[in-house]
């Protein structure tokens, strides 16, 4: 199972998601993350994301931001988006129905559409980053139950 996590900048939410998933996923899973913008390309995650992950014993400091690309739609089985804007952007890049079907809103799996977005913590503080971590953790647990 190959899973791609996508947010806007690939420096806050999706790197945390990648770190959490890599720490919990079975060995046959391949996990990666990307952003819809290339503004932070080549940069390591936001310091607050690195710190939040570290508080949970997860090291994401060596990850590097990259924008989503055409090959991702071929290479991954599932592409999970952090919010509706990211979802719209990623869906618009899919080139056929098969590719579109791989794309969904990550937190839909929790069954509460109103809260289906992982809020952007970029303008927030460590409290917001911790809340994002908890949401991602719950979401991935639910996805694992669904897949396995
Ligand atoms: P992310 O957060 O999408 O969770 O990585 C953001 C990162 C950068 C910006 C916004 C959100 N930005 O405006 O540069």
């Amino acid at each position: 199972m190959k899973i791609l996590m996508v947010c806007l900048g690939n420096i806050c939410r999706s790197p945390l998601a990648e770190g959490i998933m890599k720490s919990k996923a079975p060995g046959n899973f391949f996990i990666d993350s990307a952003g819809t913008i290339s503004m932070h390309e080549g940069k390591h995650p936001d310091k607050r994301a690195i710190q939040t992950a570290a508080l949970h014993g997860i090291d994401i400091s060596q990850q590097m931001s990259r924008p989503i690309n055409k090959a991702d739609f071929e290479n991954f089985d599932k592409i999970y988006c952090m919010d509706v804007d990211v979802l719209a952007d990623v869906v618009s890049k899919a080139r056929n129905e098969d590719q579109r079907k791989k794309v969904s809103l990550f937190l839909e799996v929790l069954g509460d559409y109103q809260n289906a977005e992982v809020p952007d913590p970029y303008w927030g503080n460590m409290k917001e980053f911790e809340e994002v971590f908890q949401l991602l953790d719950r979401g991935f647990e639910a996805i694992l139950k669904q897949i396995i």
Side-chain angles (χ1 to χ4, degrees):
M1 176 62 63
K2 293 181 181 166
I3 297 179
L4 183 68
M5 302 301 297
V6 187
C7 62
L8 181 69
N10 192 209
I11 54 168
C12 298
R13 291 165 292 178
S14 59
L16 275 172
E18 179 185 334
I20 292 168
M21 290 181 164
K22 280 182 170 163
S23 77
K24 295 191 162 192
N28 59 337
F29 275 51
F30 178 79
I31 318 272
D32 196 10
S33 66
T36 52
I37 58 172
S38 54
M39 188 175 156
H40 302 281
E41 188 166 6
K43 289 194 200 137
H44 295 301
D46 186 287
K47 281 195 176 67
R48 295 162 298 175
I50 293 174
Q51 245 181 301
T52 301
L55 287 171
H56 294 272
I58 298 171
D59 181 9
I60 63 166
S61 65
Q62 296 312 304
Q63 287 185 33
M64 249 191 239
S65 173
R66 70 167 180 91
I68 189 167
N69 61 49
K70 282 182 181 173
D72 289 327
F73 289 88
E74 296 293 335
N75 295 341
F76 288 89
D77 303 306
K78 295 199 179 285
I79 300 175
Y80 290 116
C81 302
M82 295 291 145
D83 63 40
V84 291
D85 291 334
V86 170
L87 179 72
D89 208 350
V90 173
V91 164
S92 78
K93 293 179 203 289
R95 279 163 297 155
N96 56 50
E97 191 50 28
D98 265 1
Q99 294 189 351
R100 249 186 302 278
K101 278 194 286 195
K102 295 179 176 184
V103 186
S104 62
L105 206 49
F106 177 63
L107 285 188
E108 253 176 21
V109 69
L110 295 182
D112 177 0
Y113 191 76
Q114 294 219 306
N115 293 312
E117 293 191 300
V118 181
D120 189 349
Y122 187 65
W123 307 105
N125 55 32
M126 284 298 283
K127 181 172 168 283
E128 274 86 30
F129 274 83
E130 177 59 27
E131 282 165 7
V132 162
F133 185 97
Q134 297 299 336
L135 266 177
L136 293 168
D137 195 48
R138 278 177 55 212
F140 186 53
E141 290 289 339
I143 279 169
L144 268 183
K145 278 197 191 126
Q146 209 177 59
I147 292 176
I148 293 175

